[in-house]
Amino acid sequence: MEQSQLFIKIALHAWEMNIKRTTAIFDSLTDEQLLTEIAPGRNRGIYILGHLVAVHDMMLPLLDLGQRQYLQLDEAFISNPDKAITDLPPVQDLRAYWTSINQILREQFNKLTPEEWLQKHTMISDEDFAKEPHRNRLSVLLNRTNHNAYHQGQLAWAKNK
């Protein structure tokens, strides 16, 4: 196995492990638990669920893998903080979106070659990418893996309530 293939495999494994851990936490929480604040004055689990779905959905066009599936989530879960929007989708819908978007990403990720992972993402110009080749698809995957892990840590508090 080439070194670049190994690095991609490691990154994809980290992504998958994070998704599995976060899914396990979501699965362990009732809808009622997701509707309560993780800690006083903090986000609710439903907000984290919707936020992660929206952020993962944004990866499709960012990595040039397809069009977004859940644009309707942006206002409630990207553009505004928790509780700013009161009309949220039902928890069961967000759970289904979580499963779906991560399956779509998994399928798309597995189609990419190591060379394609090292290509630029869609939010960087050719000129900037020539100067900063580390701003590639793989860097987005690593960043989003860390982002997911951050929110996974928040969700761990919800389990202890």
Side-chain angles (χ1 to χ4, degrees):
M1 179 179 290
E2 284 185 36
Q3 195 171 24
S4 62
Q5 287 176 303
L6 179 60
F7 291 144
I8 303 303
K9 186 174 183 172
I10 290 167
L12 287 171
H13 180 72
W15 168 264
E16 282 299 323
M17 290 293 87
N18 267 278
I19 297 303
K20 285 180 183 177
R21 288 179 189 132
T22 304
T23 299
I25 294 171
F26 284 138
D27 290 349
S28 73
L29 297 170
T30 65
D31 290 0
E32 184 177 284
Q33 286 174 305
L34 286 173
L35 292 170
T36 61
E37 291 179 336
I38 290 173
R42 297 296 182 182
N43 290 336
R44 295 171 294 165
I46 189 174
Y47 184 81
I48 294 172
L49 175 57
H51 175 73
L52 286 173
V53 170
V55 168
H56 291 188
D57 189 40
M58 290 176 169
M59 291 174 70
L60 290 170
L62 181 60
L63 299 177
D64 201 19
L65 299 176
Q67 294 187 344
R68 298 216 27 218
Q69 307 294 303
Y70 307 111
L71 280 166
Q72 75 275 16
L73 300 180
D74 285 8
E75 185 178 352
F77 301 110
I78 299 293
S79 302
N80 288 289
D82 191 14
K83 300 177 213 89
I85 305 293
T86 56
D87 187 25
L88 299 178
V91 174
Q92 60 269 26
D93 289 356
L94 291 172
R95 289 180 188 272
Y97 299 163
W98 170 257
T99 299
S100 177
I101 192 60
N102 287 307
Q103 180 60 37
I104 292 167
L105 287 170
R106 182 178 302 109
E107 290 167 3
Q108 293 300 317
F109 290 170
N110 288 330
K111 292 178 185 177
L112 294 176
T113 65
E115 294 77 22
E116 290 170 323
W117 275 108
L118 299 177
Q119 292 173 357
K120 74 180 199 75
H121 58 73
T122 61
M123 296 300 291
I124 186 171
S125 68
D126 291 336
E127 298 80 25
D128 286 342
F129 186 67
K131 296 178 215 166
E132 301 176 280
H134 63 280
R135 293 176 62 191
N136 54 42
R137 289 170 163 169
L138 181 60
S139 70
V140 171
L141 177 70
L142 295 172
N143 178 283
R144 296 306 184 271
T145 300
N146 289 334
H147 178 255
N148 187 82
Y150 170 80
H151 289 298
Q152 188 183 113
Q154 290 179 312
L155 289 166
W157 286 99
K159 284 181 63 171
N160 296 324
K161 285 186 78 173

